[in-house]
Every structure is written in structure tokens, then in C-alpha cells.
Amino acid sequence: MTTLIADTSTVFSRELRPLLRDPFTIIFSMVQPLVFLALFTPLLPDDDGNALQWFVPGIIVMSCLFACSMTGSNLLFEIQTGSHERMLVTPLRRPALLIGRALKEIVPMFAQAALIVVVCLPFGFRFNLPGAVIGLVILAAFCIGLGALSYTLALASKNQEWLFWTVQQTLLFPLLLLAGVLLPIENGPGWLRALAAGNPLSYVVEAERSLFNGDIWTSSTLGGIIAAAAVAAIGLLVGVRAMRRSD
Amino acid sequence: MIETRGLTKHFKDVHAVDGIDLTVRAGELVALLGPNGAGKSTTLRMLTTLIPPTAGTATVAGFDVVRRQREVRLRIGYIGQGNGAGHSQRGRDELISQGRAYGMSTRDSRQRAAELIESLGLAEVADRRVSTLSGGQRRRLDIAMGLIHSPGLLFLDEPSTGLDPQNRANLQEHILALRARHETTIVLTTHYLDEADSMAERVIVIDHGRIIADDTPQRLKDTHVGDRIVLGFLHESDAAGAAAVLRTERKGTQVRLGLPNAPRRAPGILDDLRTAGYPAAEIEVIRPTLDDVFLQLTGRSLREGGVDKELVEV
């Protein structure tokens, strides 16, 4: 008999295999945020020499966010060719289909996170290892939820591919900007801050920053855990329901 | 193996499947035959847990398809209309991960994959990207994927659509060989008449979401159409005489007659007519096809690609 973990590992390793056979695409996508970091960091106000300290966790969140919101895009093609249908008829647990596919997007991003951290060390970036690990686990939970929503979106737009890209792009940028990933929200107008307070990603980003700094036992960490767990739970619930309904 | 009661699926206003009662016993090879849009695939998709029925019940391999989906999935194989193997994957990898999806160990999956690759003639292409395979090769790979866990019940949705005649024949051989070897119960859908005719022991004709006939191909043909002979004569007077002897209609120099078991009885008829002084100049024995059966049952031909005659005329 299988378990949820075994099922997830089956889906995950199936998804990852073509990438491992053709690692060039991973290497290429890893360099992208480094370019971003190099061009964007000098623009940040750096009064106390803390720009990297503030910006690096944000960049890590951003690249994970981009990656897991694409979970559904590979799925779209497999829905059209028939291999998704074939997997739905297997006894694979439905959450495993969602989690395995999201993990395939996230795991390369974690390798990327490590690369970003290493590159930033010579420029004065400092981080706390246990804090960073906890931070990445929280981020993974958030991304599984978002990946599951991306999966659901692909199921909903199986006959009209443009719908997937339109919705994905339309939602991704507000989500990102309203979480204070690129620029701080604190100085924004009240309505913006109110919107940010309703954005679960805000709490995750805030938790990442304090965790990377080594502030582990804080309310930010708790806020991040709650927000990530809520998104994961909602994403999986919605995703499993969508799979049952799809026809 | 399969038991449905009033199985129904409505998509908004479309009654795709409209109250199907179906019993399939272990070891049967059943073909669901009907035009495109008749409800064959929708029926299959409900039986394989892909979509829930709007109404009615279905038990597959002993378990309810709605309440016990996992138990059903563990016991069936499904080969859909599309390609089961991901196009960016390699065939062997897909077979192994398919085995693991059914709870087989990696070692068993690998061994079983090797067996299937061998028996389906995929040795040369199993380690290439699926997207580089030909249509026939991909289809054989799909079959291998559906068989990885040696299911007792196999569903095939339009298995040979899009294949050339040679690949179709090849695929049919594989399916029949599989059945002979493992006594697998097989349910397939098709709109190819010859496929249903040559492979299935039982043909279920579906139209507008309902079962309109269910029997062996031979009995369907005998019951609904039957054999016919057409006799040609040199003179209309001979034809008229023959029509009187045979108690049937004449059309010019031709006489037509419905005649069960025609190939065996035709020589006797020729003898009788010669004795009566109306020798036939030529004879044609017409055996019905499943298309004739479908035409008889619905007034439409399957060969028209499932296009409604009524719709065409409007």
C-alpha cells in the first residue's frame, strides 16, 4: 500500500525527472534573480547598510512565488495530451498530485535561494541558519497552497489557455506588490496598508525577514505560519474539489 | 465486474448518458459502439471514476464508483483517448512511475516495465522522449501504461482512433493476446464497425445516451437485419416467375429475398428455381454489417461519421 508521502514522492520525482535530464533550463532560471538583485539593490535607500538584509528574503519569496504560480502551466499541456487524465485514474491520492507538482517548482527555487545567499555573503549579507530553514519551510507551505490554486486554475482553463495566463499575471503582481517584497509598505497610504494587511503573503514575507535575521520566537513567525498554513489548506481543499468536478 | 443501474450524466441541458443499465461479467470482452457524441466515452469516464454520475449507481470490480473511488482505481486499467505518457518524459520512466502510482515497489515496477516494453515491441524507443515516438508507438506505450499493474479489468476509450490500418490490426492483436493470456475483462469504445465486429463477443449499441441493442455481433445482425440474396435473370418473365415461386417482390430483372443463413441455403434456391424453369443468371449473397444494424435501429448510418440525417436535412 502507498502513503500520501510515497504518492507525493512518485508525482514529484516524475515531474522533476525531465528537468534533471536537461539541467540547462534550471541553471538559466537560477541566474535570473541574481541579475535582478544586482540591478535593483543599488536603487534601495540604504541609510543603515541594511538593504540586502531587507531585500534578499524578499527576492527569495518572489522567485518561489513566480515558480509555484506556474505549477498549472505544465499541467495545461498534460491536460491536452491526456497524461493528466491517465494519472487521475490511478489510485494516487489527490493531494499528492497537487503537492508533488508544486514541490517540483519549489525545490529548484530552494537551491536558488542557497545560491542567492552565498552570492550575497561577500557583500555583507548575514543570516541565521536555523531561522532561514524554518523560513523556507513556511515558504514551502505557502507555495504548495499557491501551486494548488495554480493547478485549479489550469483545470478551469483547460479549453482556453489564455485564461490561465491572464488570471495568473493579473493576480501575481498585486499579490507581490501588496506584500512589500520589492518596496516597503509602511510608508504607503492607508488604503494600501489595509490591502497589504489582508494579503497572506505580507505575513510570510515579514516572517522570512525576521527569521533570516535570527529572530525566531516572534509574533511575525507565528503570523507567517498561520498565513502559510491557511493558504496551503485552502489551496489543497479547492484543488481536490476541482479534480473531483472536472469533466 | 460491472453493474450499473440508471447511470446518468447530464452536462447542463445535454443528456450525455441517459439511464444506462449494464452488467458485464468477469472475462467478457465488450465493445460499446455508437457515433461520436452517443455517450460512450462519458459512460467510460463515469465507470473509471473520472466524473461523478448525475444520477444512478455503478459498481466496478465490486466497489461503488462514487463512494469507493480508490478501491475502484486500484483494480482497473484505463487507456484514454489521449496519450497517457507525458510528452517530455521517456517511456520507460513513465512506466516505472505508473507502477509506483499503483503501489508497486520501484524494483517490481522496473521489472514489469521491462516485460511490457519487450512484449509490446517498444525496446528501441522506450528510452527516447515520448514526443519523438510515432503515433503507433505512443499508442502501444499507452497500452503498456494501462497494464503495468496487471489489472483484472481494462477500459479502452477509442483505442485505435487515429491509427493507420496496419497499426490498428497490430493493436487489436495485442489486446486479444492479452485477453487470451490473462483472462482480463475488457470494455472498449469504438466507432469502427469492423473493430467491434472482429474483436468483441458482445456489442452494446449506444445512441443518444441510451443502450439500444446488446448482443453478440452475429445475433445483432441476424435479429435486426438478417441475410439477403439478390438474384438476377436474363428476362423479366423469368424474374416474375421466380418472384412468384419465392413469394417475394421483383424489380426489373432482379429479385430480392430476405433469407436467414443465406450462404448455406442459396445453392438450394438456385436448384429449385432451375427445376421450376426460371434459371437465375447471377446471384449475390449479402450479409449484414453492424452498420446495417445501426441503420435499422436508428435510421442513420454510422459511416456518415455520426452526423444526424435529420440535422443534415434541416
Side-chain angles (χ1 to χ4, degrees):
Chain A
M1 280 314 268
T2 57
T3 59
L4 179 61
I5 294 172
D7 282 356
T8 304
S9 130
T10 300
V11 176
F12 171 68
S13 53
R14 169 181 185 265
E15 288 296 309
L16 204 61
R17 206 174 290 115
L19 270 186
L20 295 177
R21 291 237 149 104
D22 184 18
F24 183 75
T25 49
I26 305 189
I27 294 165
F28 187 74
S29 70
M30 276 187 166
V31 179
Q32 267 178 338
L34 291 178
V35 175
F36 202 83
L37 204 61
L39 299 179
F40 208 90
T41 321
L43 298 175
L44 289 170
D46 195 7
D47 309 329
D48 43 7
N50 264 348
L52 272 180
Q53 223 53 36
W54 187 86
F55 199 53
V56 167
I59 276 288
I60 290 171
V61 170
M62 187 182 83
S63 44
C64 287
L65 197 69
F66 277 132
C68 71
S69 73
M70 303 277 276
T71 304
S73 77
N74 293 324
L75 186 67
L76 273 176
F77 185 61
E78 296 216 322
I79 289 175
Q80 283 155 11
T81 60
S83 50
H84 180 248
E85 183 182 87
R86 183 262 305 175
M87 293 187 83
L88 285 180
V89 182
T90 69
L92 284 171
R93 287 167 179 77
R94 310 294 106 163
L97 290 166
L98 299 164
I99 301 170
R101 276 187 191 260
L103 281 180
K104 173 254 177 173
E105 306 295 338
I106 301 162
V107 167
M109 287 306 114
F110 283 4
Q112 185 187 67
L115 179 72
I116 293 173
V117 166
V118 168
V119 168
C120 291
L121 285 176
F123 298 97
F125 177 68
R126 290 295 166 261
F127 76 105
N128 174 284
L129 186 61
V133 170
I134 297 172
L136 290 185
V137 172
I138 294 175
L139 186 56
F142 180 86
C143 287
I144 285 172
L146 199 68
L149 292 175
S150 171
Y151 194 114
T152 310
L153 179 59
L155 288 176
S157 42
K158 62 180 169 188
N159 298 323
Q160 49 230 44
E161 210 170 316
W162 59 268
L163 184 67
F164 178 83
W165 295 110
T166 311
V167 176
Q168 189 250 6
Q169 296 290 323
T170 310
L171 292 180
L172 192 61
F173 282 96
L175 192 68
L176 205 63
L177 294 170
L178 285 175
V181 172
L182 298 175
L183 289 167
I185 293 286
E186 293 93 73
N187 307 325
W191 61 267
L192 195 79
R193 274 180 281 140
L195 283 175
N199 180 359
L201 187 61
S202 306
Y203 301 94
V204 174
V205 174
E206 202 185 315
E208 297 301 320
R209 287 197 178 117
S210 76
L211 283 165
F212 269 78
N213 263 327
D215 305 325
I216 295 175
W217 306 105
T218 63
S219 58
S220 323
T221 307
L222 188 65
I225 291 174
I226 292 172
V231 170
I234 291 169
L236 292 178
L237 211 70
V238 171
V240 170
R241 278 179 68 96
M243 268 189 261
R244 287 219 179 101
R245 275 210 203 152
S246 66
D247 43 49
Chain B
M1 262 320 205
I2 300 174
E3 186 89 42
T4 79
R5 285 289 161 264
L7 193 65
T8 299
K9 183 73 190 179
H10 294 175
F11 297 109
K12 295 193 180 105
D13 299 336
V14 182
H15 296 197
V17 174
D18 215 1
I20 282 189
D21 297 327
L22 175 66
T23 303
V24 176
R25 285 173 298 279
E28 281 194 288
L29 199 171
V30 177
L32 306 183
L33 177 72
N36 292 326
K40 312 181 297 280
S41 292
T42 306
T43 303
L44 222 57
R45 293 171 71 75
M46 285 192 278
L47 296 178
T48 54
T49 76
L50 277 169
I51 51 173
T54 311
T57 59
T59 309
V60 171
F63 294 94
D64 185 277
V65 294
V66 177
R67 278 169 294 150
R68 305 294 298 279
Q69 292 184 327
R70 202 181 142 73
E71 301 300 327
V72 172
R73 287 173 187 147
L74 277 166
R75 287 164 179 78
I76 61 171
Y78 171 69
I79 295 150
Q81 290 185 19
N83 283 132
H87 284 202
S88 60
Q89 302 275 351
R90 300 178 187 198
R92 189 185 303 272
D93 292 345
E94 280 289 68
L95 283 167
I96 295 168
S97 71
Q98 177 83 342
R100 293 197 46 206
Y102 282 95
M104 295 162 67
S105 70
T106 307
R107 201 167 143 255
D108 290 350
S109 304
R110 195 167 285 148
Q111 195 186 338
R112 176 83 177 132
E115 280 170 29
L116 288 166
I117 286 167
E118 180 65 36
S119 70
L120 286 159
L122 290 163
E124 276 171 35
V125 297
D127 297 299
R128 290 194 351 215
R129 273 170 66 107
V130 172
S131 56
T132 65
L133 269 54
S134 72
Q137 290 165 339
R138 266 184 231 167
R139 212 65 188 119
R140 292 207 301 277
L141 182 57
D142 292 336
I143 305 274
M145 306 262 298
L147 298 177
I148 193 86
H149 56 301
S150 315
L153 170 58
L154 187 65
F155 291 96
L156 299 106
D157 198 0
E158 309 266 350
S160 51
T161 298
L163 293 182
D164 59 50
Q166 197 189 340
N167 272 316
R168 267 173 66 191
N170 181 295
L171 186 72
Q172 291 172 8
E173 269 172 41
H174 279 300
I175 294 170
L176 291 174
L178 167 82
R179 175 136 183 286
R181 218 175 308 139
H182 304 288
E183 293 174 3
T184 312
T185 310
I186 298 178
V187 176
L188 59 90
T189 69
T190 184
H191 58 254
Y192 289 119
L193 300 151
D194 52 342
E195 192 162 272
D197 207 344
S198 65
M199 287 180 75
E201 292 134 15
R202 182 174 164 200
V203 172
I204 295 170
V205 185
I206 296 187
D207 191 37
H208 295 311
R210 292 206 176 93
I211 295 180
I212 54 172
D214 176 357
D215 215 327
T216 66
Q218 193 54 53
R219 275 209 294 272
L220 281 176
K221 290 186 265 191
D222 290 346
T223 315
H224 296 285
V225 188
D227 295 348
R228 283 158 297 162
I229 58 174
V230 180
L231 296 159
F233 296 87
L234 293 177
H235 309 289
E236 288 201 8
S237 55
D238 286 351
V245 171
L246 299 171
R247 286 187 213 116
T248 182
E249 300 284 304
R250 169 183 71 95
K251 203 174 175 187
T253 57
Q254 276 196 343
V255 169
R256 293 169 171 268
L257 180 68
L259 186 70
N261 209 2
R264 302 199 96 195
R265 290 175 58 194
I269 298 239
L270 291 179
D271 285 347
D272 292 350
L273 289 177
R274 193 177 301 117
T275 312
Y278 310 117
E282 53 183 40
I283 180 167
E284 187 183 2
V285 175
I286 302 170
R287 313 218 68 190
T289 64
L290 286 177
D291 193 35
D292 297 327
V293 174
F294 192 78
L295 186 69
Q296 181 67 33
L297 287 166
T298 67
R300 287 171 292 128
S301 168
L302 265 173
R303 290 202 196 278
E304 291 157 14
V307 178
D308 253 286
K309 242 188 201 154
E310 301 116 25
L311 286 178
V312 172
E313 280 163 6
V314 165

